[in-house]
């Protein structure tokens, strides 16, 4: 590993951010026999630097967190490099230059990947191994909570809309918020959909992992449908065979190991054991990780841990991707002008300067 790091430093590129020279190295990290690739960027200071690892949320993402024309993880890295931090950001499994199949991975596989990345940083000649922290977005926040609760090499963390309620409750909150925000669902029909979703989510949560979930969902859906009026089925577009399309799509999601494990995720097991400094940010218009329930739970559980150094911040008019939003729907996200707001970057940078440097 030492020779690998020397080679990577030689092939690293240089660029300037606000007059400061930044080194950008290509990084290879081995996790579960898979080669994961990414970028480690840091200011050319000649000293040991504090470092953060950016952990992506649900869905296949490259090292820059790219969507549409935006690269929010790259912007985070530039901001924090300028603040004196090294930043490691990796392509997810099966994305970009990384090996593996993303769809076969679970949250605990992502935990293993970040563990390997921490070990890599500990051996890097420009990194202070006693100042390594995590920045986790959405599910990546859950990964950060898990590691911060048990890995002594993690010295601080930032949660960007990190998942801090249990997986089942998160699905309920998320789906209700999406339905209420949708132009295509009438307000009086929201409860109809949530009745169905609740039945399906409970079935997945309560079925042992070793048991085939598909026949269970077939049965639950059939019972639910027999209890509905024709009027309700038409309002929900569950008539004329479209119900079978819905069932087929949901079973394909629900049978995956990632989904079945995530619905059982219990943040209390982890957050209530975190003693290190924590910054938790949420947008007040986030419909994917609802801000009130998640920030309140972070505060409650960190107090339970007797954590004396944490801060929660609610950013007004911000969505799940920490952009200023207008409609604040998922569909709007790619069309918004900013990748990540200046307020978000400033909040992270200021907190990290105070608590780490």
């Amino acid at each position: 590993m030492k020779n690998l790091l020397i080679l990577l430093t030689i092939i690293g590129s240089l660029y300037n951010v606000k007059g400061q020279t930044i080194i950008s190295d290509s990084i290879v990290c081995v996790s579960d026999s898979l080669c994961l690739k990414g970028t480690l960027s840091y200011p050319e200071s000649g000293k040991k630097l504090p470092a953060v690892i950016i952990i992506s949320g649900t869905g296949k993402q490259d090292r820059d967190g790219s969507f549409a024309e935006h690269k929010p993880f790259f912007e985070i890295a530039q901001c924090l490099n300028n603040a004196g931090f090294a930043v490691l950001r990796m392509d997810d499994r099966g994305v970009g230059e990384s090996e593996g199949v993303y769809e076969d991975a679970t949250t605990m596989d992502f935990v293993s990947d970040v563990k390997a990345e921490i070990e890599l940083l500990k051996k890097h000649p420009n990194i202070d191994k006693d100042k390594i922290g995590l920045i986790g977005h959405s599910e990546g926040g859950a990964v950060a909570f898990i590691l911060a609760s048990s890995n002594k090499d993690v010295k601080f963390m930032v949660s960007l809309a990190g998942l801090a309620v249990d997986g089942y409750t998160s699905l309920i909150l998320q789906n209700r918020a999406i339905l209420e925000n949708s132009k295509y669902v009438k307000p009086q029909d929201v409860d109809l959909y949530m009745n169905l979703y609740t039945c399906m989510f409970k079935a997945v949560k309560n079925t042992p992992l070793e048991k085939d979930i598909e026949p269970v969902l077939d049965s639950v859906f059939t019972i639910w449908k027999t209890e509905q009026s024709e009027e309700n089925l038409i309002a929900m577009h569950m008539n004329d065979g479209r119900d079978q399309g819905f069932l087929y799509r949901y079973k394909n999601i629900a049978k995956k190991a990632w989904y079945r494990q995530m619905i059982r995720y219990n943040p209390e097991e982890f957050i209530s054991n975190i003693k290190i400094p924590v910054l938790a940010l949420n947008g007040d218009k986030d419909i994917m990780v609802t801000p009130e329930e998640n920030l309140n739970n972070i505060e409650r559980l960190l107090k339970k841990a007797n954590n004396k150094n944490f801060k929660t911040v609610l950013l007004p008019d911000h969505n799940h991707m920490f952009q200023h939003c207008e409609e604040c729907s998922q569909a709007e996200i790619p069309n918004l002008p900013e990748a990540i707001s200046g307020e978000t970057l400033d909040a992270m940078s200021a907190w990290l300067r105070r608590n780490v440097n």
Side-chain angles (χ1 to χ4, degrees):
M1 182 61 72
K2 183 178 180 181
N3 291 336
L4 174 63
L5 290 170
I6 291 173
L7 172 63
L8 292 173
T9 301
I10 290 172
I11 66 173
S13 60
L14 301 176
Y15 60 94
N16 288 312
V17 175
K18 296 182 179 179
Q20 184 168 211
T21 301
I22 303 299
I23 298 172
S24 181
D25 291 343
S26 297
I27 290 293
V28 179
C29 179
V30 178
S31 175
D32 293 341
S33 300
L34 298 173
C35 283
L36 307 178
K37 296 187 179 182
T39 299
L40 176 67
S41 57
Y42 51 96
E44 188 184 37
S45 66
K47 66 177 183 179
K48 296 277 189 178
L49 296 165
V52 296
I53 300 170
I54 299 177
I55 312 169
S56 64
T58 302
K60 301 168 72 170
Q61 294 174 61
D62 66 17
R63 68 192 70 183
D64 293 328
S66 302
F67 65 94
E69 300 298 317
H70 298 318
K71 299 181 183 296
F73 294 169
F74 174 74
E75 293 198 14
I76 291 172
Q78 282 199 316
C79 174
L80 296 186
N81 289 158
N82 193 56
F85 286 78
V87 180
L88 178 62
R89 58 192 199 277
M90 305 292 289
D91 292 336
D92 286 345
R93 294 181 177 212
V95 180
E97 299 179 27
S98 289
E99 296 178 347
V101 179
Y102 181 89
E103 292 78 6
D104 292 343
T106 67
T107 302
M108 295 312 296
D109 291 323
F110 303 139
V111 169
S112 295
D113 294 346
V114 179
K115 281 182 180 178
E117 292 156 17
I118 291 169
E119 291 303 312
L120 183 146
L121 287 181
K122 286 167 59 181
K123 296 177 176 64
H124 195 285
N126 295 95
I127 302 302
D128 184 339
K129 65 182 180 63
D130 294 320
K131 292 184 178 180
I132 296 173
L134 307 174
I135 298 176
H137 177 244
S138 197
E139 183 189 351
V143 172
F145 289 136
I146 292 168
L147 284 163
S149 72
S150 58
N151 190 313
K152 296 189 182 303
D153 292 316
V154 178
K155 303 301 184 182
F156 57 92
M157 69 161 283
V158 176
S159 164
L160 294 176
L163 187 60
V165 299
D166 67 87
Y168 169 78
T169 301
S170 176
L171 284 173
I172 297 293
L173 293 170
Q174 180 185 97
N175 279 273
R176 179 171 287 279
I178 291 171
L179 289 168
E180 290 176 344
N181 188 261
S182 174
K183 300 176 186 176
Y184 308 104
V185 178
K186 296 177 181 178
Q188 64 267 29
D189 294 336
V190 169
D191 286 341
L192 295 178
Y193 282 102
M194 288 309 302
N195 176 261
L196 168 60
Y197 295 168
T198 300
C199 290
M200 304 299 270
F201 298 159
K202 281 183 178 178
V204 177
K205 181 184 179 183
N206 294 333
T207 300
L209 291 173
E210 64 275 10
K211 186 174 180 179
D212 185 359
I213 193 62
E214 293 194 63
V216 175
L217 292 175
D218 286 335
S219 176
V220 169
F221 186 76
T222 298
I223 293 169
W224 171 85
K225 189 177 176 184
T226 60
E227 295 173 346
Q228 306 306 308
S229 68
E230 186 66 20
E231 181 183 13
N232 284 351
L233 293 174
I234 291 172
M236 297 175 66
H237 308 288
M238 292 289 179
N239 60 325
D240 297 334
R242 286 177 286 184
D243 57 323
Q244 292 305 307
F246 164 83
L247 181 60
Y248 173 80
R249 290 189 298 273
Y250 183 68
K251 287 194 297 185
N252 278 343
I253 296 169
K255 69 184 180 182
K256 294 184 182 298
W258 171 84
Y259 188 92
R260 297 190 69 181
Q261 290 185 20
M262 178 50 74
I263 207 168
R264 289 169 168 76
Y265 166 67
N266 179 9
E268 186 150 4
E269 295 178 22
F270 310 108
I271 302 177
S272 61
N273 293 308
I274 295 175
K275 310 291 186 183
I276 61 172
V278 176
L279 171 65
L281 304 174
N282 262 84
D284 73 339
K285 298 297 192 295
D286 190 342
I287 60 174
M288 300 303 290
V289 175
T290 53
E292 181 179 359
E293 293 84 358
N294 282 274
L295 286 182
N296 286 348
N297 217 33
I298 289 171
E299 184 170 348
R300 179 181 69 84
L301 293 175
L302 289 177
K303 285 181 178 177
K304 184 177 179 180
N306 201 29
N307 189 314
K308 302 298 185 182
N309 188 355
F310 70 88
K311 182 178 182 180
T312 61
V313 178
L314 186 65
L315 294 165
D317 300 318
H318 280 60
N319 62 19
H320 185 60
M321 298 305 296
F322 291 88
Q323 304 161 295
H324 289 97
C325 58
E326 297 173 10
E327 296 176 359
C328 302
S329 65
Q330 290 300 98
E332 179 190 53
I333 286 174
N335 303 316
L336 293 170
E338 61 189 356
I340 184 169
S341 78
E343 290 97 318
T344 305
L345 296 175
D346 289 345
M348 281 194 291
S349 177
W351 185 86
L352 288 167
R353 284 176 185 268
R354 288 195 303 270
N355 288 276
V356 182
N357 273 343

